Amino acid sequence: MANHESTYEPKSAVAKWFDERLPVARLMHGQFVDFPTPRNLNYLWTFGGILTFCLAAQILTGVVLAMHYQPSATGAFDSIEHIRRNVNYGWMIRNMHAVGASMFFIAVYAHIFRGLYYGSYKAPREVLWIIGVLIFLVMMATAFMGYTLPWGQMSFWGATVITNLFSSLDGIVSGLGTAIVEWLWGGYSVSGTTLNRFFSLHYLLPFVIAGLVVLHIWALHVAGQNNPAGLDIKTKSDSVPMHPYATSKDAVGLFAFLLLFAWFVFFLPDYLGHSDNYIEANPLVTPPHIVPEWYFLPFYAILRAIPSKLGGVIAMFGSIVVLVFVPWLDTSRVRSAKYRPIFKWFFWFFVFTCLALGYLGAMPAEGVYVFWARIFTVLYFAFFLLAMPIIGIIETPKRLPQSITESVLGGGKSGVAAGATSAPERR
Amino acid sequence: MKKATYKTLALTASLLAAVVAPGHAAEEGGEAHHAIEHQTWSFGGFTGQFDKAQLQRGFQVYKEVCSACHGLKHLSFRNLAEPGGPEFPEASVKALAAEWPNRITDGPDDSGKMFERPAKLSDPILGPYKNDKEARAAQNGALPPDLSLIAKARSVHNEAFWPKHVLLMARDIVKGYQEGGPDYIYALMTGYKEPPAGVTVAEGMHYNVAFPSKQLAMPPPLADDVVAYEDGTPTKVANYAQDVSAFLAWAADPSLNARKRIGWQVLLYLLITTTLLYFAKKRIWSKIGH
């Protein structure tokens, strides 16, 4: 794909003049108009575009909110109410931003699970995958700091619990963890100072994500897209131009996703949040159950499953870091789980494991919940560290189609030879 | 493609069946939690809108009962006249603000002193206490919370054990259930009961089945006939509780009417556009085998 030549032809003298000096239009045309896209992409591949939309929407609504928000311990909570009540359509912008964070994570989880199912992390897409993991990490940091900003009870206590995790480093070097935590807080507890710097970083990090997204797309366009068959594009008939084929499908996916988005923004704006966050932060009153936002719950369950604090922190970060090694943990040469009869089952069990951890993360850390959180934490890591390497070795994959074209049109109708002259050229 | 569609349909159908099947979050209360029943609200679900007359009655209850201890600091008097709320005539709200007993501290004046003045339309609806310390001193150590957001700050928790937990969650999402706050307030207002045998109620506390710890400092605020309704609505505790819960739901979410109205317009637009885009996509892809 890297050697794919843009078919851009400037249509006016000005465009030609510009093209000879800065061929941006040529680049965009080559990468987003006539870029060869596998013809067999399903709707799960629309989440990339959906995620780009989510990032843009969060930045746009966030910039407007920042015009009315006050990042101080005394002003933050009231300024959110000011936005909800007095700013014209402030309630809508605020709902879009708060719900948007959840939608962003719904989309990113669909995107990650799609990558895991179809083996999108395998050669030559390892760097693409790792940049994706980095984006996920920065997204989590951004979301965590964003949740602090309304300065409600869950904001405050969530920030307290999560920043305090670093104090577990005292177990390695005495005083190191405490020093880091005080440095993060800018004091001896979570305070207005902490809120102020979190606001600054919350505004900065989305632009870091945007930069990483550019690299992610760059790496994607070097290797080309993976696809449900997990095969490379070999002949011209295996691919279609991105526009209008992939773009028309992306548009359907995006608007269907917006239906869900709007459903929550207008009818369930507070469903995904916690009611305690409508109580102003109070350092003297600890809520009975401190729970993070839903999208952190599986990781929170892993954190609490380990009896030692440092161990819990290591396990929690490890549960994300392990993703970086997935391209090498999976020993199978076949990409798509469609042709992997054993791995397929383990994949779905892994999805169940993540959902179960999410449920357990929302429950109090006591009794039977802790027991099950431990079981599922072990299963979570076992998927990556045991199932992935072992299944790849013992599994006999199903017969792979000769080409993407064959996987779409069936072996009878079209082999590679027939496919080579097939439809896209006739459009 | 077709197969996937059928699978999705089957999944959706089974989910819907689970949702429609009778199951009450209320029944699922654990040992420690009192079952909080879901009430019927005019503003419930995704077509609901506030009932103006109910909000007016609810404000009357707030003014004559609750405001003795609780403020509504995030609301201004002008909100009471705005569309989507109780919609009192502006003149009467002006008069109400001017007579409001809890006056506004303003200043400093030309001599450098702070002074008190009657409230205007743009001023917040204050409670009787200047600060939390004063409130606690007057209330035997208890703090009457500000009520502007109380309907958002309380909810009915889904206590069910999974997998029922997940089904109830799906039901709430499909039905657009956001009325946990008013459901809780109603349960609290009507939850004062004689303590069961063996339970000792601490001095100055009152037994209430809906309150998480069962004992709260607030004495039963409502009794039959304490507020004189003018529109013929029965003057019973249940009616007062309904009306004041609805009023507090509005106080916490004054844009609800506009939100749901705009929501339907947005959904309709998205539904039509998605359908059109789908057929456009089908047409584009019909040129090649897929």
Side-chain angles (χ1 to χ4, degrees):
Chain A
M1 300 311 112
N3 54 11
H4 158 73
E5 278 288 328
S6 178
T7 58
Y8 176 71
E9 278 171 38
K11 291 203 176 65
S12 68
V14 177
K16 189 165 184 299
W17 181 88
F18 206 83
D19 188 49
E20 283 158 3
R21 284 156 183 82
L22 185 67
V24 170
R26 178 174 297 277
L27 177 86
M28 297 311 271
H29 188 90
Q31 297 301 315
F32 300 105
V33 178
D34 61 14
F35 188 78
T37 311
R39 65 191 286 176
N40 59 341
L41 297 186
N42 60 31
Y43 274 106
L44 286 171
W45 263 266
T46 62
F47 280 101
I50 289 169
L51 284 163
T52 315
F53 167 84
C54 284
L55 178 62
Q58 287 303 87
I59 290 178
L60 209 68
T61 50
V63 166
V64 177
L65 289 176
M67 293 173 188
H68 302 282
Y69 172 74
Q70 292 175 15
S72 74
T74 47
F77 189 84
D78 288 351
S79 73
I80 300 289
E81 281 314 301
H82 165 68
I83 290 167
R84 287 185 67 228
R85 291 160 191 271
N86 302 329
V87 174
N88 290 333
Y89 294 101
W91 58 267
M92 196 194 292
I93 306 277
R94 179 259 185 188
N95 285 357
M96 282 160 78
H97 197 73
V99 169
S102 285
M103 293 298 137
F104 208 154
F105 275 92
I106 288 178
V108 90
Y109 285 135
H111 194 64
I112 294 171
F113 279 121
R114 189 270 288 153
L116 283 173
Y117 186 81
Y118 292 110
S120 300
Y121 45 82
K122 285 186 199 176
R125 299 186 181 85
E126 300 95 325
V127 173
L128 168 61
W129 171 263
I130 291 169
I131 295 170
V133 177
L134 286 179
I135 293 174
F136 180 47
L137 263 175
V138 183
M139 257 180 80
M140 291 174 99
T142 311
F144 161 67
M145 286 189 260
Y147 194 57
T148 311
L149 304 186
W151 210 236
Q153 274 289 67
M154 277 300 156
S155 297
F156 181 88
W157 290 99
T160 302
V161 169
I162 301 299
T163 48
N164 250 319
L165 293 180
F166 289 95
S167 69
S168 63
L169 295 174
D170 280 346
I172 303 174
V173 180
S174 176
L176 173 70
T178 310
I180 290 178
V181 172
E182 285 171 5
W183 176 71
L184 286 173
W185 286 341
Y188 299 103
S189 68
V190 173
S191 67
T193 316
T194 323
L195 173 66
N196 218 158
R197 60 185 55 187
F198 276 16
F199 176 58
S200 169
L201 292 171
H202 182 72
Y203 205 117
L204 168 72
L205 290 182
F207 297 97
V208 174
I209 296 177
L212 287 168
V213 166
V214 171
L215 293 180
H216 195 62
I217 295 174
W218 187 358
L220 173 73
H221 281 216
V222 169
Q225 280 153 298
N226 185 33
N227 55 78
L231 301 171
D232 292 327
I233 294 175
K234 287 173 205 143
T235 62
K236 195 130 200 188
S237 79
D238 284 347
S239 72
V240 288
M242 186 159 177
H243 184 73
Y245 293 96
T247 45
S248 65
K249 202 163 186 167
D250 275 343
V252 179
L254 175 62
F255 271 77
F257 184 78
L258 286 179
L259 274 168
L260 178 79
F261 201 131
W263 185 265
F264 277 94
V265 166
F266 292 102
F267 301 113
L268 289 152
D270 296 306
Y271 185 81
L272 298 162
H274 197 293
S275 52
D276 276 8
N277 231 26
Y278 277 104
I279 306 170
E280 190 167 1
N282 185 349
L284 301 176
V285 180
T286 317
H289 299 301
I290 302 174
V291 280
E293 290 278 81
W294 69 266
Y295 38 79
F296 291 141
L297 289 173
F299 304 103
Y300 193 55
I302 291 174
L303 169 77
R304 297 187 307 177
I306 313 288
S308 110
K309 188 175 176 186
L310 180 62
V313 172
I314 291 171
M316 185 177 73
F317 283 105
S319 66
I320 300 160
V321 171
V322 73
L323 290 169
V324 169
F325 300 99
V326 161
W328 298 279
L329 286 169
D330 187 348
T331 50
S332 172
R333 276 175 297 122
V334 174
R335 287 201 193 103
S336 174
K338 223 169 140 180
Y339 306 108
R340 302 187 57 190
I342 302 178
F343 178 79
K344 193 190 264 181
W345 287 103
F346 277 83
F347 169 83
W348 286 112
F349 188 69
F350 174 69
V351 173
F352 177 78
T353 302
C354 292
L355 293 174
L357 283 170
Y359 169 76
L360 293 164
M363 296 295 128
E366 58 200 25
V368 67
Y369 297 121
V370 177
F371 171 78
W372 283 109
R374 287 182 184 156
I375 299 282
F376 281 109
T377 298
V378 170
L379 290 171
Y380 179 94
F381 285 103
F383 173 73
F384 294 107
L385 302 176
L386 294 175
M388 277 198 157
I390 295 173
I391 294 169
I393 295 164
I394 60 165
E395 182 182 53
T396 317
K398 287 193 205 159
R399 193 192 76 86
L400 290 176
Q402 294 291 318
S403 67
I404 292 174
T405 310
E406 191 200 307
S407 82
V408 174
L409 301 176
K413 273 189 276 179
S414 143
V416 181
T421 56
S422 122
E425 293 313 295
R426 289 205 307 266
R427 73 180 184 277
Chain B
M1 181 67 212
K2 281 245 172 71
K3 216 169 115 197
T5 316
Y6 288 135
K7 254 193 217 162
T8 318
L9 278 177
L11 195 76
T12 318
S14 55
L15 204 74
L16 278 176
V19 166
V20 175
H24 297 286
E27 291 168 5
E28 293 296 324
E31 312 81 57
H33 292 266
H34 168 69
I36 289 177
E37 282 175 37
H38 290 200
Q39 303 295 321
T40 310
W41 301 105
S42 73
F43 51 91
F46 36 76
T47 50
Q49 298 271 296
F50 286 120
D51 171 359
K52 199 170 93 177
Q54 184 177 43
L55 295 189
Q56 295 194 351
R57 292 195 302 273
F59 176 72
Q60 193 186 350
V61 176
Y62 166 75
K63 186 183 133 195
E64 292 176 23
V65 181
C66 319
S67 74
C69 302
H70 300 273
L72 282 174
K73 64 176 177 184
H74 291 295
L75 259 76
S76 303
F77 284 97
R78 65 178 165 80
N79 295 136
L80 294 169
E82 282 168 359
E87 298 180 20
F88 289 113
E90 193 171 305
S92 73
V93 177
K94 226 174 213 167
L96 174 88
E99 290 161 14
W100 198 253
N102 312 317
R103 288 148 65 100
I104 304 294
T105 306
D106 206 342
D109 63 12
D110 292 344
S111 61
K113 293 205 174 63
M114 301 302 280
F115 60 91
E116 290 204 340
R117 60 162 175 80
K120 292 183 287 197
L121 281 178
S122 57
D123 285 317
I125 304 177
L126 296 182
Y129 307 114
K130 292 276 175 244
N131 49 58
D132 290 358
K133 291 232 163 114
E134 193 193 343
R136 283 190 194 276
Q139 294 288 343
N140 203 12
L143 176 69
D146 182 87
L147 295 183
S148 350
L149 279 168
I150 206 78
K152 288 269 178 208
R154 300 290 183 274
S155 65
V156 178
H157 290 286
N158 174 358
E159 302 279 343
F161 200 71
W162 110 310
K164 191 160 185 193
H165 185 100
V166 180
L167 293 176
L168 291 175
M169 218 165 80
R171 183 195 63 175
D172 287 349
I173 291 174
V174 172
K175 289 173 78 175
Y177 176 67
Q178 288 270 275
E179 294 78 44
D183 282 342
Y184 172 79
I185 297 168
Y186 178 85
L188 190 78
M189 290 298 103
T190 55
Y192 288 94
K193 300 270 150 66
E194 283 301 312
V199 173
T200 5
V201 179
E203 207 195 315
M205 302 296 267
H206 306 271
Y207 189 81
N208 189 312
V209 288
F211 197 66
S213 66
K214 305 282 184 243
Q215 301 193 17
L216 83 163
M218 176 167 71
L222 301 173
D224 289 350
D225 304 322
V226 289
V227 178
Y229 278 160
E230 282 158 18
D231 63 357
T233 306
T235 49
K236 299 278 175 231
V237 168
N239 298 83
Y240 294 145
Q242 275 270 353
D243 295 344
V244 82
S245 302
F247 170 74
L248 291 174
W250 167 78
D253 196 1
S255 52
L256 180 142
N257 280 10
R259 170 160 64 78
K260 291 188 180 178
R261 198 188 60 239
I262 296 170
W264 279 110
Q265 293 163 355
V266 170
L267 278 189
L268 192 68
Y269 160 75
L270 286 174
L271 206 62
I272 293 171
T273 314
T274 309
T275 316
L276 290 177
L277 284 169
Y278 175 72
F279 285 111
K281 178 242 151 203
K282 248 186 116 132
R283 178 129 188 216
I284 288 165
W285 281 80
S286 67
K287 293 173 198 162
I288 59 162
H290 63 281

